Amino acid sequence: MGPCWLRFNSNLYFLVRMALGCLFIFSGFEKLISPYQNFLFIIESYAILPSWGEEIVARGWPWIEFFLGVFLALGLWLRWTLVAVMGMLFSFVVVVAQALARHLPIDECGCFGDISFPLPVVLVFDIALALIVGFLYLHYEKTVFFSLDEYCARHERQ
Amino acid sequence: MVAMSRQSRLTITIVVVICAVTIVLIAKFLPKLFASSRWTAVAARVKGNPRAPIQITEFIDFECPACALGARYLAQLMTEHPTVIRLELKYFPLPSHRHGFVSARYAECAARQEKFWPFHDRLIERQANWSRLVDATPAFMLIAQDVGLDVDRLGACLKDASIDSFIAQNRDEGNRRGVKSTPTYYVNDKMVVGSKLLESELGSLLATIQ
């Protein structure tokens, strides 16, 4: 394979990383700008946490989601960010799977504000995203292309 | 070298975090500066003691099962504590409910004949029946007759465009306040979504008052 293919390949990793970052930014941002009680209501419907835990998650989770999205899109602390995103997606999978197993009557998945999907779709989507993030982590040297991490490293080398 | 790279990344991180937080805070609070003064412009359907220590504004969709649960709970609570709660109701018909808007229209027409609360109570009571129907109009007409509405006036009212715009105004107000689902309550201006959270909020408030 020549350098042209290598460049295309790296661009693809960059695009996937950006798309994932934007997805998390949108999801977190939408929750942050609307009153936290809307997200609290959705967390409550999953019936997995005590009420004090629901309150903490409703206030804190959107910030984590938003910053992971920003860091992923910019490629900052990328190795750690990829691990954290994978952890977040794994927690989504667990929460959605337990809701499905318990046949909880959940109308809103809490994914992207007003946009909601049936829980089985969400489960498949989250697993797919986790696999993509895992793939990006395994090919870190390509994922880091066009990132602030790469910029900093190059800047220090010069 | 590694330490220097780490240092520059830390600096970039701080700048990114500050910028991101600023953007979120501006997006969250800027619209409220312009919207808050208009919240009181829409008249509402009200019951209870005007000087009650607990003031509740509810955004309701009559077809939503959780709204029916919340309404039953509130009705029971207002019977037990008649002077403590004042309830103000605003329409928030959800597009996902086929009878949401029509039921709000009937309720508003009942309000214009001073029969809002009896109509509201029966809508809630019979929700499980009419919400299953393809066309719920006969069920609403039956309720209208039960509560003693003037059917001719009701017919004229249902054709009145101001009813739709009043409901739309209520809904717009809900949107401006960040309402996404029903029932959403404002208990002494604190937003509470869902009947379960309402119960815990009112439980702690009542314990403080008594």
Side-chain angles (χ1 to χ4, degrees), chain A residues 63-136:
Chain A
W63 282 109
I64 298 172
E65 215 174 355
F66 177 67
F67 277 117
L68 284 181
V70 171
F71 282 23
L72 193 61
L74 295 177
L76 198 54
W77 306 100
L78 197 53
R79 226 182 259 280
W80 292 108
T81 304
L82 287 168
V83 171
V85 168
M86 205 133 65
M88 182 172 253
L89 287 166
F90 181 70
S91 70
F92 288 161
V93 169
V94 170
V95 168
V96 173
Q98 67 85 31
L100 278 170
R102 292 162 67 195
H103 303 288
L104 294 177
I106 294 171
D107 295 328
E108 290 174 66
C109 64
C111 315
F112 308 106
D114 291 340
I115 309 162
S116 192
F117 304 99
L119 289 192
V121 176
V122 175
L123 188 66
V124 172
F125 187 65
D126 285 341
I127 291 170
L129 284 185
L131 290 174
I132 292 169
V133 174
F135 189 79
L136 291 182

Side-chain angles (χ1 to χ4, degrees), chain B residues 92-132:
Chain B
F92 199 81
L94 296 169
S96 56
H97 288 155
R98 60 182 161 183
H99 306 310
F101 198 89
V102 182
S103 56
R105 196 187 272 161
Y106 272 85
E108 182 51 27
C109 283
R112 300 204 176 180
Q113 292 187 38
E114 308 291 329
K115 296 268 173 61
F116 175 79
W117 289 106
F119 194 89
H120 162 275
D121 293 347
R122 282 197 174 63
L123 268 181
I124 295 297
E125 195 183 294
R126 299 178 194 173
Q127 187 204 60
N129 299 328
W130 60 258
S131 61
R132 284 180 301 182

Side-chain angles (χ1 to χ4, degrees), chain B residues 105-176:
Chain B
R105 196 187 272 161
Y106 272 85
E108 182 51 27
C109 283
R112 300 204 176 180
Q113 292 187 38
E114 308 291 329
K115 296 268 173 61
F116 175 79
W117 289 106
F119 194 89
H120 162 275
D121 293 347
R122 282 197 174 63
L123 268 181
I124 295 297
E125 195 183 294
R126 299 178 194 173
Q127 187 204 60
N129 299 328
W130 60 258
S131 61
R132 284 180 301 182
L133 303 171
V134 177
D135 177 14
T137 310
F140 297 147
M141 285 307 286
L142 202 64
I143 295 173
Q145 284 164 3
D146 284 357
V147 301
L149 290 186
D150 180 332
V151 178
D152 293 336
R153 275 178 67 196
L154 175 65
C157 175
L158 289 169
K159 288 174 192 155
D160 187 347
S162 72
I163 299 291
D164 289 6
S165 71
F166 180 77
I167 295 166
Q169 262 181 294
N170 276 217
R171 211 191 134 81
D172 288 347
E173 183 189 331
N175 286 330
R176 284 199 299 276

